[in-house]
Amino acid sequence: MAQSHEMMIRKPPGIRLFGGAVSLGTYQTLVLVLTFFAYTCFHMTRKITSIVKSALDPQTKVGFSHWGRLHTHGTLNIGWLPFNTVDGSALLGEMDVAFLAVYSVGMFFAGHLGDRMDLRIFLTIGMLGTAIFTTLFGAGYWLNIHSFYYFLVIQMISGLFQSIGWPSVVAVVGNWFGKSKRGLIMGIWNAHTSIGNIAGSLLAAFLLKYGWGWSFAIPSLIMALVGLIVFSFLPVSPDVMEIDIDGEEINSEKDTAKEPLLEPGQEVKHKAIGFLEAWRIPGVAPFALCLFFSKLVAYTFLYWLPFYISHTPIGSEYLSDAMAGSLSTIFDVGGVLGGVLAGHISDRLNARAVTAASFMYCAIPALFLYSTYGSVSIVWNICLMFVTGMFVNGPYALITTAVSADLGTHSSLNGNSRALATVTAIIDGTGSVGAAIGPLLTGYISSKSWSAVFTMLMAAALLAGLLLTQLVCAELKGKVSPISSMDATGAQDTYSDEV
């Protein structure tokens, strides 16, 4: 009786209120939709600063354009102290690295806590906290705040709340969805990253004409509302919802696509996995280090692409800050396709490492072509930006979703369900260290040469691919000699369900 009461309390209040029997498929759909929009909001608020950078630090643009310059209340934008000084770009870079440093460190703790807390409540805390501190950053506009340390501290606290999002949503989805076609399903689901970037870019760019503070306030309000919906309706796991995952609707069809990531009834037998123990899971370290360099490239684009576009003549003309922000969304559109393609290809080949490494190697010529020919015309810029986004975001999406889920349910865990958030946090947390370093270095290097920035990005893409060499060889050997690979490569079963 007491256990039944406890389970009832753990159910989302919205579902308790409306009641009624709901099928497994309905719960799975609800989980996909709610986690999709939840993490879309995380990326939407994270993208704002990259759009507002050009308003805070206009620098000097030579020449004029029929696209126009950003105007605020009828006057030419002159920026915002302390960011419109000679060191403005460096200050913005330091603010980015502070946010991402706290985010990456917080990720490790968030994963540890996520395996021990109610993920619905934990995710809600992350969403509401992010909304509050993103709003406080924008409040500097109305309160006429010009202290760099105010904005720095706000960004750092915001990064801490942001770190809760990813381990939580991956763990929740991992509780409900099966192993078959995991790469494709998660590749499509992971479009929330790019959709969030696109939504944040377009909304923030549109609101700039009313004052940059609104670019922070309105997205934060949207995130807070979505956070309340998540709190009210998100079903964390079949266990909490008292769903029998061995029931007829699964067993009658023997559909492996609906089999849970973990064997039913095993959750109660295990304690949450330790941090060092998670690092020792085969495959975690190389994929985590690969993501370090992959996210370095991806987040440099996330934070600096609108700034780069607005400060680089395209067809001998400079674009307005708002136009540059809107144009930068093409990178994320390419990223959506890249994530889906990487997931689908890795499923078909049953080779996560080969797919991720191939995309990273293809990103190198794409980066070179964009830096060299992206300024020829708008059409060239759009086409090359799309291709670059596809190859850069493809492996990033694959590693943070399907690969993390594979490793979080590795055979060495013996069905331990309380490892998903920790493993996800380790991989994405390590990647986020690279995400912090990329924008920081760009803040300094870009003041000297954007060509040097692209050289750094190409080197990072190369290293990301090389770090997977051992796993790539294991996968290729497995394709040539499946029998010997089962004995020779412990890494293969890291992300393969069939070996």
Side-chain angles (χ1 to χ4, degrees):
M1 186 71 177
Q3 184 177 4
S4 177
H5 177 68
E6 181 183 352
M7 295 303 294
M8 179 61 69
I9 292 177
R10 291 182 63 191
K11 289 183 179 180
I15 293 179
R16 293 205 311 265
L17 176 64
F18 292 103
V22 179
S23 68
L24 175 64
T26 302
Y27 278 128
Q28 288 177 321
T29 301
L30 184 61
V31 166
L32 273 184
V33 171
L34 289 180
T35 53
F36 182 93
F37 281 106
Y39 209 68
T40 294
C41 288
F42 276 105
H43 260 267
M44 177 179 67
T45 53
R46 199 179 304 174
K47 181 66 176 179
I48 297 170
T49 53
S50 70
I51 302 300
V52 176
K53 271 179 182 172
S54 294
L56 300 176
D57 176 26
Q59 289 194 355
T60 302
K61 298 182 182 180
V62 181
F64 298 92
S65 168
H66 65 270
W67 295 101
R69 290 289 304 278
L70 175 68
H71 286 70
T72 305
H73 301 301
T75 60
L76 186 65
N77 176 44
I78 59 173
W80 190 269
L81 283 171
F83 303 109
N84 60 348
T85 61
V86 175
D87 298 326
S89 295
L91 292 177
L92 290 169
E94 290 171 7
M95 197 166 62
D96 289 342
V97 77
F99 170 89
L100 291 167
V102 174
Y103 174 81
S104 60
V105 173
M107 184 79 71
F108 295 112
F109 291 100
H112 187 74
L113 291 172
D115 284 329
R116 293 161 174 79
M117 287 182 62
D118 186 324
L119 288 169
R120 175 176 58 87
I121 296 175
F122 196 44
L123 181 58
T124 302
I125 291 172
M127 295 186 73
L128 295 181
T130 298
I132 290 170
F133 283 92
T134 301
T135 301
L136 288 175
F137 191 102
Y141 173 77
W142 294 290
L143 298 177
N144 200 31
I145 296 174
H146 296 279
S147 169
F148 170 69
Y149 293 103
Y150 170 83
F151 296 108
L152 182 68
V153 171
I154 291 297
Q155 278 291 81
M156 291 173 70
I157 299 176
S158 179
L160 186 62
F161 282 106
Q162 282 263 1
S163 68
I164 294 174
W166 189 241
S168 299
V169 296
V170 171
V172 171
V173 171
N175 287 335
W176 285 96
F177 287 88
K179 299 177 179 180
S180 178
K181 297 183 179 179
R182 184 186 297 164
L184 177 60
I185 292 172
M186 286 193 154
I188 296 172
W189 174 73
N190 192 63
H192 52 46
T193 297
S194 296
I195 298 298
N197 290 341
I198 293 169
S201 297
L202 295 178
L203 188 56
F206 172 77
L207 293 169
L208 271 178
K209 61 186 176 183
Y210 300 106
W212 62 262
W214 290 105
S215 295
F216 288 90
I218 300 301
S220 298
L221 177 61
I222 295 172
M223 185 173 195
L225 292 175
V226 174
L228 294 176
I229 295 173
V230 165
F231 175 79
S232 300
F233 294 100
L234 181 65
V236 171
S237 68
D239 180 52
V240 170
M241 302 311 299
E242 299 179 287
I243 295 289
D244 182 10
I245 51 180
D246 269 339
E248 284 186 4
E249 49 201 327
I250 297 177
N251 288 341
S252 62
E253 298 295 333
K254 297 295 181 183
D255 185 357
T256 58
K258 293 181 179 179
E259 289 177 6
L261 291 177
L262 302 149
E263 295 299 323
Q266 290 185 327
E267 292 88 340
V268 296
K269 299 179 182 179
H270 301 280
K271 294 182 180 180
I273 191 172
F275 180 77
L276 294 179
E277 185 182 355
W279 268 106
R280 288 194 290 268
I281 297 173
V284 166
F287 272 115
L289 294 173
C290 171
L291 191 62
F292 175 95
F293 291 102
S294 177
K295 287 192 75 169
L296 185 153
V297 179
Y299 268 65
T300 298
F301 274 90
L302 174 70
Y303 280 97
W304 286 98
L305 183 57
F307 188 90
Y308 168 74
I309 293 173
S310 68
H311 291 79
T312 302
I314 300 176
S316 302
E317 296 181 343
Y318 286 91
L319 305 186
S320 69
D321 299 329
M323 181 63 188
S326 299
L327 183 62
S328 69
T329 60
I330 300 299
F331 179 84
D332 294 296
V333 174
V336 173
L337 178 61
V340 174
L341 280 178
H344 179 63
I345 293 171
S346 70
D347 279 341
R348 292 294 299 271
L349 298 178
N350 192 24
R352 308 286 197 216
V354 169
T355 304
S358 298
F359 269 69
M360 290 312 306
Y361 291 138
C362 289
I364 298 172
L367 287 164
F368 174 77
L369 291 173
Y370 181 69
S371 66
T372 305
Y373 300 105
S375 60
V376 172
S377 68
I378 288 287
V379 174
W380 273 94
N381 193 285
I382 290 174
C383 293
L384 292 172
M385 191 192 307
F386 179 88
V387 173
T388 302
M390 182 176 68
F391 286 123
V392 168
N393 281 352
Y396 163 38
L398 179 65
I399 295 171
T400 55
T401 53
V403 169
S404 294
D406 289 346
L407 295 171
T409 56
H410 185 257
S411 58
S412 67
L413 296 172
N414 297 318
N416 188 346
S417 66
R418 304 182 68 185
L420 269 172
T422 299
V423 171
T424 300
I426 285 176
I427 292 176
D428 202 41
T430 303
S432 296
V433 177
I437 293 174
L440 174 67
L441 294 177
T442 301
Y444 290 101
I445 299 174
S446 63
S447 61
K448 306 294 183 182
S449 168
W450 278 104
S451 295
V453 171
F454 279 96
T455 300
M456 174 189 75
L457 297 180
M458 288 185 282
L462 176 62
L463 289 172
L466 291 176
L467 283 165
L468 294 180
T469 300
Q470 184 177 1
L471 297 181
V472 168
C473 292
E475 287 182 345
L476 294 177
K477 184 184 294 185
K479 298 299 179 184
V480 175
S481 179
I483 297 178
S484 62
S485 70
M486 292 178 66
D487 299 324
T489 62
Q492 179 69 9
D493 70 348
T494 297
Y495 37 82
S496 172
D497 299 316
E498 301 169 8
V499 175

